[in-house]
Amino acid sequence: VICLLALAASVHGMWIFPDALHLDSTDVLNKNCGESPYTEWEKPEDAREFENPWLAVFRHPEEQAPFCHGTLITEQHVLTTAVCAESFTINDTIVALGDYDQSVNPDCNSAGICASTIERVLKEIIKHPKFVNDSYQYDIAIVLLQRPVIYRNNIKPICLPLIPIIPSSVHLPKVYNALWTESSSRPKQIMMSYISLDQCRDLTQNQLVLHEEQMCAKYARPSRLKLNGGAGSPLLAEYHDRSFQMGILSIGMPDGDYSMPYVYLNITAHISWLHDTVSEVDTESRADNSWLPDAVTEVDIESQ
């Protein structure tokens, strides 16, 4: 059980994250998480190599184009939406990790450092038991990879905030949505601004039924980029040189312009379910010898 007896406060405009709470109070989440060579709060629109090593995409085996995003949260668990998970098939759907430029593999930077994309199929799909498809309520799912990954420069887990966050009542850090868009083979980082649920309802002319476990954000500045195809992608923030995932992209308005909001699932509203689900699945997987690498090398794992 996660100990959540901690206070978050806004002091002199700075958002306070109790580091020990987030990193040390759980045995299954936030291990070696959120590490990137780039730690500034204001992100460039074009992501740099190794900047989002937690990003994952899902695709069907007969197709190269991905249809949903996700984020790595442990060596064997990927976080995404329940709507995305509705299209997943065990032992068939492919999740790609460690990618940067989707047009090449491996990716090599200017220093000559190269990193390969790895692919896994799904062993288990766990959707939130209260998920409601029509309203996107509890739109969250965890998938268990057939085999664990090995952390490296281009594959690392994201940190998850373990304390409740109420966007309307605290000063939050700058946030951005990281994802591959339909128009770019490399990830984009779109700076976003939180808005209240009431503002969200007004901007969408009450087309959406919103719930307290959801939150809304819109573009922080005008942009021609669209988040189409970005379901499951993360809403992120930097703190103390680590990246934390605040939300999961759930609903967008496909015909709207940059002033229209997007709806995200609030991670902290579901953190107990997340933690307990990962703990339970992790225990079951370790009891099953099939999860073990069996001395397979890193190169072997990448090729499987």
Side-chain angles (χ1 to χ4, degrees):
V1 177
I2 303 175
C3 176
L4 297 179
L5 299 179
L7 294 177
S10 177
V11 180
H12 302 302
M14 293 295 290
W15 174 241
I16 305 302
F17 272 32
D19 288 7
L21 170 66
H22 288 291
L23 303 179
D24 301 332
S25 62
T26 167
D27 293 332
V28 294
L29 298 174
N30 293 355
K31 303 307 174 189
N32 303 306
C33 67
E35 298 174 345
S36 162
Y38 312 101
T39 56
E40 65 271 26
W41 281 23
E42 188 80 22
K43 296 293 184 181
E45 185 175 278
D46 296 317
R48 295 156 290 195
E49 192 166 12
F50 307 138
E51 190 161 13
N52 295 280
W54 34 82
L55 278 185
V57 291
F58 296 89
R59 67 176 180 85
H60 299 298
E62 68 276 9
E63 300 173 356
Q64 288 302 311
F67 63 91
C68 270
H69 285 68
T71 44
L72 188 69
I73 57 173
T74 79
E75 63 185 6
Q76 204 171 359
H77 299 85
V78 174
L79 181 62
T80 187
T81 67
V83 169
C84 284
E86 296 271 84
S87 300
F88 296 167
T89 304
I90 291 175
N91 292 326
D92 186 68
T93 301
I94 293 170
V95 56
L97 299 130
D99 206 355
Y100 173 62
D101 188 333
Q102 294 180 330
S103 66
V104 299
N105 188 26
D107 289 303
C108 299
N109 63 16
S110 58
I113 301 174
C114 298
S116 296
T117 303
I118 67 167
E119 294 183 339
R120 294 284 188 272
V121 293
L122 309 184
K123 182 177 182 179
E124 189 173 355
I125 304 163
I126 308 106
K127 293 179 288 188
H128 196 289
K130 294 183 179 180
F131 167 59
V132 180
N133 194 307
D134 293 342
S135 67
Y136 293 84
Q137 195 172 5
Y138 299 100
D139 187 16
I140 184 171
I142 297 169
V143 298
L144 180 69
L145 305 179
Q146 189 65 249
R147 304 191 64 165
V149 298
I150 295 175
Y151 296 154
R152 62 201 79 171
N153 286 342
N154 63 326
I155 300 176
K156 296 178 183 178
I158 189 64
C159 297
L160 301 178
L162 304 185
I163 55 175
I165 295 174
I166 306 172
S168 60
S169 64
V170 296
H171 179 86
L172 289 167
K174 293 182 178 179
V175 290
Y176 61 99
N177 200 142
L179 77 166
W180 281 273
T181 66
E182 294 178 346
S183 60
S184 176
S185 64
R186 296 183 177 186
K188 296 293 184 180
Q189 300 176 133
I190 303 171
M191 299 304 299
M192 307 290 286
S193 297
Y194 283 107
I195 61 173
S196 70
L197 291 181
D198 285 340
Q199 289 176 295
C200 198
R201 293 184 184 101
D202 290 343
L203 286 170
T204 60
Q205 299 179 338
N206 291 313
Q207 295 180 52
L208 302 175
V209 178
L210 300 177
H211 304 271
E212 291 305 313
E213 69 275 2
Q214 296 167 315
M215 57 187 184
C216 290
K218 64 187 184 70
Y219 287 17
R221 60 181 68 93
S223 174
R224 293 183 178 181
L225 290 175
K226 297 283 188 178
L227 303 189
N228 298 350
S233 62
L235 189 68
L236 302 164
E238 291 287 333
Y239 186 76
H240 284 188
D241 297 337
R242 291 182 188 271
S243 294
F244 284 80
Q245 183 172 355
M246 303 298 192
I248 310 172
L249 182 58
S250 176
I251 309 173
M253 305 296 286
D255 298 325
D257 60 18
Y258 72 88
S259 65
M260 294 299 289
Y262 289 85
V263 180
Y264 295 82
L265 178 130
N266 189 335
I267 291 291
T268 55
H270 301 81
I271 196 63
S272 293
W273 177 81
L274 263 169
H275 177 272
D276 293 347
T277 301
V278 170
S279 296
E280 182 179 343
V281 172
D282 187 63
T283 300
E284 293 173 354
S285 294
R286 291 177 184 276
D288 177 1
N289 289 336
S290 66
W291 84 274
L292 293 168
D294 294 328
V296 177
T297 67
E298 186 169 337
V299 174
D300 290 334
I301 288 178
E302 286 187 351
S303 67
Q304 294 181 17

